[in-house]
Amino acid sequence: MEIMYLLVPVSLLLVFVIAAIFWWSLRNGQFEDLEGPAYRMLMDDDRPIVDGESNKSSQRVDVNQ
């Protein structure tokens, strides 16, 4: 029964830590754009830059429009 005196405060502390981390992630915009990184990964240009095509390959498509 004495272990309950340790486990209850530790569990409450854990709940507050998890809530603080979740609140911080909400305030810093971690859940605002869930689809943008997936589209950016698909539109990434993997071709090497050739001297004549440097202007074409350096153009990026903005997915967030």
Side-chain angles (χ1 to χ4, degrees):
M1 187 67 184
E2 291 87 23
I3 193 69
M4 295 298 288
Y5 295 120
L6 177 67
L7 290 179
V8 170
V10 168
S11 64
L12 288 175
L13 180 67
L14 187 62
V15 166
F16 283 119
V17 168
I18 290 172
I21 290 172
F22 182 70
W23 179 79
W24 175 83
S25 65
L26 282 177
R27 299 291 277 170
N28 288 320
Q30 295 293 317
F31 299 107
E32 289 182 0
D33 186 18
L34 297 178
E35 295 178 6
Y39 289 122
R40 270 186 254 135
M41 179 183 70
L42 293 175
M43 294 187 178
D44 193 7
D45 192 11
D46 291 334
R47 294 182 302 168
I49 297 175
V50 181
D51 289 339
E53 297 181 10
S54 62
N55 289 336
K56 292 179 185 177
S57 63
S58 64
Q59 294 177 349
R60 297 266 176 182
V61 176
D62 190 13
V63 191
N64 297 327
Q65 294 178 359

